[in-house]
Amino acid sequence: MQVSRKKMPMAHSRMLLFYLTLAGLILLGILIEGFLIGTSIFAGTAWGRATHGALGLLLLLLTLLLPLAALLARLPGTMTIWSAVLFVLTLLQVTLAGFARSVPFLAALHPSNAMLLFGLNVILIVQGWQMRGKKSPEMEQAQTAKALPDDGGARHQVPLEIKLATGGYLLYTLISVGVLTLFLLNRNDVVNAVKALNPDFSQSEIDGSVFSIQVIVVGAHLFFGTCTACLAFLIRTGKNWVRIASSVVAGLVVLEICYEWLSPTDVPAVLAPNQRIYAVFVQILMILMILSCVTLQWVPQASRDFFSAEKRQVS
């Protein structure tokens, strides 16, 4: 028992160091992003804008890892939530850049959002630095819960891992709506793709094919979006069948996104080459996000205890 008590603070310290390192890299990346776009605006370099876009995708991946690092480091729930907000703002940052031609006034929020990213990142680094040498609040709660007698009639608290899974499912739903909106706004590109694949089709046949494609795509996104939105709240009940159902839905979502990659008339195939990489990257994030939600329900000990407690109550 004494060895395990010594390991817990050490593991917490290492994960906190990983969190701070990750946040520091994100902060450095934001500063480099400003320099890169500056070389494109003031020096007219082509490599500056291209590198700016590539680094933005890398920062998006790093910010996705940040709330997971906060969870592993057992940081306070507010820090974990704000780390997730940093990822959402970064995703918004990448999305705003794509509206440069279609909705320029919306794309004009790109630099303002960058300042929000910078400020929030600095706050998270300062709060994380202040946590050094302190015991995690989650660890203190766990020790307090072990010291107290088990009250079978008490209501089980929803652990932080399940709350993060809830937020992940809701965020996936919002991103899915965005991808669906992008598909509907690019109907002309779908028409051109159908014409290129079927040059002998008449206009009525083309319209019928486009309509069928839209029905399939819209139906799939609505189905999976509705499922994930419902699962976001059902997993908080602690029912084991919900955990199993969410795993099945996650597998179907991965297959559906892989189908979108292979389909010549779906997002991202109908987009321009310079926009296609953003769509593919967002879909990869969607896969990682929903798989992370499933992992948060099965792997952490707090989640397993949460579902096991509900199962014991039912039996």
Side-chain angles (χ1 to χ4, degrees):
M1 288 298 293
Q2 290 180 354
V3 175
S4 62
R5 285 179 182 176
K6 290 180 180 179
K7 285 184 178 179
M8 285 179 63
M10 186 178 296
H12 166 66
S13 178
R14 288 177 179 175
M15 290 311 305
L16 178 58
L17 178 61
F18 174 70
Y19 177 88
L20 290 173
T21 302
L22 199 59
L25 289 175
I26 294 171
L27 185 64
L28 179 62
I30 294 174
L31 294 174
I32 295 176
E33 282 283 74
F35 168 75
L36 291 173
I37 198 62
T39 61
S40 176
I41 295 174
F42 299 109
T45 60
W47 58 266
R49 183 175 294 274
T51 311
H52 177 84
L55 182 57
L57 297 179
L58 177 60
L59 288 176
L60 187 60
L61 180 60
L62 293 178
T63 53
L64 175 62
L65 297 176
L66 194 64
L68 298 178
L71 179 63
L72 293 174
R74 293 292 178 179
L75 296 180
T78 52
M79 282 191 65
T80 306
I81 293 173
W82 281 114
S83 299
V85 170
L86 186 70
F87 164 70
V88 175
L89 290 176
T90 308
L91 181 61
L92 178 63
Q93 184 77 351
V94 174
T95 306
L96 288 173
F99 291 104
R101 294 184 178 180
S102 56
V103 192
F105 283 100
L106 185 60
L109 294 173
H110 190 76
S112 300
N113 191 60
M115 290 188 286
L116 288 177
L117 285 171
F118 182 85
L120 179 56
N121 200 7
V122 170
I123 292 174
L124 290 174
I125 291 175
V126 171
Q127 290 183 345
W129 189 263
Q130 292 175 347
M131 289 292 297
R132 293 181 313 120
K134 294 182 180 180
K135 186 177 293 187
S136 168
E138 280 73 17
M139 292 171 59
E140 292 179 353
Q141 290 177 3
Q143 292 177 355
T144 304
K146 290 180 181 179
L148 293 175
D150 186 18
D151 185 6
R155 179 184 178 87
H156 291 277
Q157 269 195 337
V158 179
L160 178 61
E161 291 82 353
I162 300 301
K163 293 179 181 178
L164 284 176
T166 298
Y169 279 128
L170 292 177
L171 183 57
Y172 170 86
T173 303
L174 292 176
I175 297 176
S176 181
V177 171
V179 173
L180 178 59
T181 304
L182 183 65
F183 174 79
L184 294 176
L185 290 176
N186 287 272
R187 185 183 184 279
N188 292 334
D189 295 324
V190 179
V191 172
N192 294 332
V194 172
K195 286 181 180 179
L197 292 172
N198 305 278
D200 298 331
F201 271 20
S202 63
Q203 186 61 43
S204 60
E205 290 175 322
I206 292 174
D207 292 338
S209 298
V210 171
F211 177 75
S212 300
I213 293 169
Q214 286 184 323
V215 168
I216 294 173
V217 174
V218 172
H221 278 274
L222 288 179
F223 172 76
F224 288 116
T226 303
C227 285
T228 52
C230 293
L231 289 171
F233 298 100
L234 287 174
I235 59 174
R236 298 171 67 89
T237 63
K239 305 293 184 183
N240 201 49
W241 68 265
V242 179
R243 185 168 55 162
I244 298 173
S246 65
S247 303
V248 174
V249 170
L252 293 175
V253 165
V254 173
L255 292 177
E256 190 264 340
I257 293 179
C258 291
Y259 167 78
E260 290 185 3
W261 289 343
L262 299 175
S263 174
T265 55
D266 204 341
V267 177
V270 300
L271 298 177
N274 61 335
Q275 296 178 335
R276 196 171 301 161
I277 184 173
Y278 294 104
V280 171
F281 195 83
V282 168
Q283 288 177 325
I284 292 175
L285 283 178
M286 292 172 70
I287 291 177
L288 294 176
M289 191 179 305
I290 198 163
L291 291 180
S292 298
C293 292
V294 174
T295 303
L296 286 171
Q297 297 174 74
W298 288 94
V299 176
Q301 186 63 45
S303 299
R304 285 183 285 170
D305 293 342
F306 177 66
F307 286 101
S308 299
E310 183 65 29
K311 186 188 296 185
R312 288 195 297 269
Q313 282 186 348
V314 173
S315 60

